[in-house]
Amino acid sequence: MSASTNSSGLTFQLHPLALINVSDHHTRVKAQTGVVSRVIGGLLGIQTGRTVEITNSFELVTTGSGHDVAIDIAYLTTKQEQYKKVFPTNEFIGWYSTGSNLQTDVDIRIHKSLLEINESPVYMMLNPMITPTSKELPITLYESEMHIIEGNSSMIFVEASYDIETLEAERISVDQITRITTGTSNSDQLTSHLSGIHSAIKMLNERIGSVTQYLEAVDAGEQPVDHQLLRQIASLARQLPTVDTEQFQKEFLMEHNDALLMVYLASMTKGTAQINDVADKFTMAFEKHARRRALI
């Protein structure tokens, strides 16, 4: 395996749904068998130009075990056709498995068996053996490349960088799963949310300070001029005035008013529910008192 970065120029975007499905697959197999075993599945996604979005995943049927494990291609083809009917834009992007390290010979053999379906499949590996204090996602993405080694053409895996891309529905789902698994109260969730915003603002401030220090050093002649970096900074700076337009202010106020209205409606609903609860308790207590007087 090569430790270098990918040279294909592709940009990969992972969606939470695919990651949750892989994690669920591993957890269910572990709960059913009582042991940690390797699971294998397929990846679905959309490729637009040089951008590849991995949006979903599904389990695959395998034959054999250990070093002789292989994917049932007939089952894979059937599942791909079924998903194609529901999600016409989704294509088979690659495959995934769980494990802490590459099983080079086995993984390359499985990878080659998928070349009939996708000429350049992606391999995603989830490492279930992680420490709770780890801040990195236990996900590694690999592309395959053909290299000449000792005069022979050989396939190797090359690590590829990726970004996490979420849709609104996915953000809501992940937030709901977090609430269920952690069992946190509303105050804890608010504290966590505000802590996240504080960390993001702090990080933004540090990066702006780094950019400012670099520009001051370049202006003073202490740092060499990097024209590509300066163009990126200039492009970023040119985007700032666009958020101060009349249209932005109008949309911002509308969003702000809508948020306040939702808070107001939620408060009214909560207050009405509490009033109804008090009224029910009062009615119940009054009826019991009236029955006692009737018996006396």
Side-chain angles (χ1 to χ4, degrees), residues 13-275:
Q13 296 179 345
L14 285 179
H15 284 256
L17 178 59
L19 304 181
I20 292 174
N21 286 344
V22 176
S23 178
D24 176 70
H25 186 190
H26 166 76
T27 303
R28 280 188 291 102
V29 172
K30 180 182 177 181
Q32 292 168 1
T33 61
V35 295
V36 178
S37 56
R38 190 186 193 194
V39 297
I40 297 177
L43 299 174
L44 295 174
I46 305 170
Q47 180 169 356
T48 306
R50 308 299 295 175
T51 302
V52 179
E53 290 188 56
I54 301 176
T55 58
N56 204 348
S57 63
F58 60 93
E59 302 173 22
L60 288 176
V61 174
T62 58
T63 58
S65 60
H67 293 284
D68 298 325
V69 66
I71 293 177
D72 188 336
I73 300 299
Y75 177 83
L76 170 58
T77 303
T78 302
K79 291 291 289 185
Q80 184 184 10
E81 293 175 353
Q82 292 174 348
Y83 271 99
K84 194 71 175 178
K85 294 178 180 179
V86 182
F87 306 102
T89 58
N90 283 11
E91 301 287 348
F92 178 77
I93 298 296
W95 64 293
Y96 71 82
S97 74
T98 56
S100 56
N101 296 298
L102 279 174
Q103 301 180 23
T104 308
D105 295 337
V106 178
D107 293 340
I108 287 181
R109 178 169 51 79
I110 295 175
H111 203 77
K112 287 182 177 179
S113 68
L114 300 175
L115 295 178
E116 300 177 1
I117 302 176
N118 188 316
E119 61 181 14
S120 183
V122 179
Y123 174 32
M124 184 178 76
M125 184 169 64
L126 168 68
N127 181 11
M129 310 301 293
I130 61 171
T131 57
T133 57
S134 177
K135 296 183 179 180
E136 300 293 332
L137 284 175
I139 296 292
T140 308
L141 211 61
Y142 296 100
E143 288 186 277
S144 59
E145 292 183 354
M146 299 302 296
H147 284 203
I148 303 298
I149 302 176
E150 297 180 354
N152 298 320
S153 177
S154 301
M155 176 181 290
I156 66 170
F157 285 120
V158 181
E159 286 192 23
S161 59
Y162 62 88
D163 297 318
I164 300 298
E165 183 71 19
T166 59
L167 301 176
E168 184 64 25
E170 291 176 319
R171 282 194 288 269
I172 295 173
S173 301
V174 171
D175 182 60
Q176 184 64 24
I177 291 174
T178 304
R179 293 180 182 179
I180 295 173
T181 55
T182 59
T184 54
S185 61
N186 291 333
S187 60
D188 293 335
Q189 294 172 12
L190 177 60
T191 302
S192 176
H193 177 66
L194 294 178
S195 298
I197 294 177
H198 176 267
S199 299
I201 294 175
K202 183 179 179 181
M203 183 181 297
L204 177 61
N205 185 56
E206 291 176 353
R207 293 184 178 182
I208 292 175
S210 299
V211 172
T212 303
Q213 291 178 2
Y214 171 74
L215 293 176
E216 291 176 350
V218 171
D219 186 56
E222 299 174 358
Q223 289 284 346
V225 178
D226 187 336
H227 294 285
Q228 182 178 359
L229 182 57
L230 290 177
R231 282 195 294 269
Q232 292 177 355
I233 295 174
S235 176
L236 180 62
R238 280 195 294 269
Q239 295 177 17
L240 297 178
T242 59
V243 300
D244 196 27
T245 61
E246 182 179 352
Q247 182 179 359
F248 172 79
Q249 293 295 336
K250 181 179 179 181
E251 293 180 357
F252 175 77
L253 289 175
M254 289 179 61
E255 291 286 345
H256 181 66
N257 291 336
D258 290 343
L260 292 179
L261 179 60
M262 292 299 296
V263 172
Y264 179 65
L265 291 176
S267 300
M268 289 182 59
T269 303
K270 185 177 180 180
T272 304
Q274 292 176 346
I275 292 174

